[in-house]
Amino acid sequence: MQTRDDIFHTLRDALVELFELDADRVTLESNLYQDLEIDSIDAVDLIDHIKRQTGKKIAAEEFKSVRTVGDVVEAVYRLVQAAA
């Protein structure tokens, strides 16, 4: 998971698997809370899933600022780049 595109595809697959979403609904512009109907409990599950995939945890404070799938991709990208 190095490029933003790789991160997006992995994230989309996770959202489809974890929350039974239609893959077509998951775009970089999709709002996690309004478009995809992810609640705070789901967000914690998503953070945990990202940690298992990357070995790194996104800080809860940083995750509070994400609104779209693209925001999550950027947060994960920064996380893996900082570790590289």
Side-chain angles (χ1 to χ4, degrees):
M1 249 191 345
Q2 294 301 325
T3 69
R4 286 176 176 87
D5 200 44
D6 292 340
I7 294 167
F8 169 71
H9 289 292
T10 301
L11 180 61
R12 182 183 62 200
D13 292 346
L15 289 166
V16 168
E17 178 185 334
L18 292 170
F19 309 118
E20 300 176 1
L21 297 171
D22 183 352
D24 294 338
R25 290 181 57 199
V26 183
T27 67
L28 288 172
E29 295 79 28
S30 299
N31 185 292
L32 295 172
Y33 307 105
Q34 295 168 354
D35 300 329
L36 304 180
E37 301 173 7
I38 290 177
D39 62 24
S40 58
I41 301 296
D42 293 338
V44 171
D45 291 341
L46 183 58
I47 290 170
D48 187 54
H49 183 80
I50 291 168
K51 180 181 177 187
R52 287 194 309 271
Q53 293 294 315
T54 64
K56 308 278 185 266
K57 184 175 181 183
I58 294 178
E61 285 302 313
E62 182 172 359
F63 204 83
K64 285 181 184 178
S65 66
V66 303
R67 294 288 174 256
T68 66
V69 171
D71 293 342
V72 179
V73 169
E74 283 302 314
V76 173
Y77 183 77
R78 286 193 303 269
L79 193 66
V80 296
Q81 291 303 307

